[in-house]
Amino acid sequence: MSECVGKKKISLVAGPCSAENRSQMLDTARGLKALGVQVFRAGLWKPRSRWGNFEGVGEKGLPWMAEIRQELGLKVMTEVALPRHVEAVLRSGVDMVWIGARTSANPFMVSELAEALKGTGMTVWIKNPICPDVPLWIGAIERLLNAGIRDVRVIHRGFCVVDSTPYRNAPLWELAEQFRSHFPALACYCDPSHIAGKRELLLPICEKALSLHFDGLFVESHNCPEVALSDSAQQVTPTDLGLLLNRMGVLIE
Ligand code: PEP
Ligand code: MN
């Protein structure tokens, strides 16, 4: 996050937890673009805890991503958890991918994804593993870097611990700091949405990330969070995201 005259400027990635339908995607993306967001996130393949929950629209959402890219000029990114997701994304012109917290906890799967992504020139973002295990987190990055993936960026999304009250995932900032000191050259963003679990708790987490000089924020935003098919309680409308940035006293870079 860089300082400039007047307000601080932050780098921000935002978009819905899940791509649900074309109008939800376009409407959300338009709202975010009006705020100045340049990178749009949306999950197409959703790893859900319980069987039978909405698992994402899959490849059906790729044309919506392409439309957002072409019509609105936003960069678009989605989560990949299997090599076949990488293949689908490469065919469709998605700009960047991220590896989620459940996948980054699995060394074999990270290696499979690294293999599928190597040589593609794709920017790969990776979240910390769900468990508070810094060597496992470091190992996931090493697997990507050793495959020759040059543009690796990191997302701190908190950890699953026995008591994370009041948050959904405990931020354990000291672990994140240990990790960052191991890879000082890698951009590290904070995902306050998955840490907070509730939109009312986003502000202090964003402020803490700002004070720790994270490189940016990775936030879930939905045009109508109340009816979102996943992570409803933690998503904010683009308008409310704008208000949050105002309260933080920052502008989007
Ligand atoms: C997400 O970003 O929507 C997601 C599934 O996150 P995580 O892997 O951090 O749980
Ligand atoms: Mn989510």
Side-chain angles (χ1 to χ4, degrees):
M1 294 173 188
S2 61
E3 206 88 46
C4 74
V5 188
K7 283 192 168 179
K8 195 174 259 207
K9 290 206 160 192
I10 64 160
S11 173
L12 181 72
V13 175
C17 177
S18 301
E20 297 169 11
N21 57 64
R22 181 177 172 273
S23 69
Q24 167 246 2
M25 287 280 277
L26 269 290
D27 200 29
T28 307
R30 283 194 198 102
L32 292 171
K33 185 181 160 91
L35 284 185
V37 170
Q38 293 173 40
V39 184
F40 179 83
R41 59 143 285 157
L44 298 175
W45 297 278
K46 300 302 300 179
R48 305 305 300 280
S49 301
R50 293 292 304 274
W51 179 85
N53 284 350
F54 174 66
E55 290 193 326
V57 296
E59 293 194 29
K60 191 176 140 196
L62 287 167
W64 310 332
M65 299 287 253
E67 196 172 342
I68 289 166
R69 191 171 187 255
Q70 279 149 26
E71 305 298 322
L72 303 179
L74 300 181
K75 282 202 158 69
V76 295
M77 60 189 290
T78 197
E79 175 173 348
V80 289
L82 294 170
R84 71 176 164 79
H85 299 160
V86 175
E87 285 155 26
V89 154
L90 290 173
R91 284 195 304 269
S92 73
V94 164
D95 297 288
M96 300 187 277
V97 295
W98 83 83
I99 296 173
R102 287 157 193 79
T103 310
S104 67
N106 179 338
F108 286 137
M109 192 49 79
V110 173
S111 295
E112 292 280 323
L113 291 171
E115 191 57 32
L117 287 159
K118 88 174 180 204
T120 63
M122 183 72 89
T123 296
V124 181
W125 299 64
I126 181 161
K127 295 199 175 193
N128 63 273
I130 43 176
C131 44
D133 181 337
V134 175
L136 186 64
W137 190 0
I138 291 174
I141 309 300
E142 287 169 341
R143 287 182 170 83
L144 297 177
L145 295 176
N146 288 339
I149 298 168
R150 280 194 211 107
D151 194 358
V152 175
R153 304 181 195 175
V154 179
I155 303 162
H156 169 41
R157 51 78 77 200
F159 300 92
C160 190
V161 296
V162 173
D163 182 9
S164 57
T165 326
Y167 302 124
R168 177 180 178 191
N169 288 290
L172 306 184
W173 297 107
E174 63 291 355
L175 291 201
E177 291 306 286
Q178 263 179 46
F179 170 84
R180 289 172 75 199
S181 65
H182 197 88
F183 289 113
L186 290 190
C188 188
Y189 280 52
C190 176
D191 170 348
S193 307
H194 288 88
I195 293 176
K198 296 181 198 70
R199 52 190 149 267
E200 298 75 26
L201 298 179
L202 289 173
L203 180 62
I205 300 163
C206 292
E207 284 174 336
K208 179 74 176 178
L210 203 65
S211 74
L212 291 173
H213 304 289
F214 273 75
D215 294 281
L217 297 173
F218 191 86
V219 182
E220 286 190 339
S221 176
H222 188 291
N223 62 339
C224 197
E226 294 74 20
V227 297
L229 297 180
S230 59
D231 288 351
S232 168
Q234 71 194 30
Q235 300 198 66
V236 281
T237 61
T239 306
D240 285 345
L241 180 55
L243 294 173
L244 184 76
L245 297 173
N246 275 343
R247 288 178 70 188
M248 289 166 64
V250 297
L251 292 171
I252 300 175
E253 196 165 77

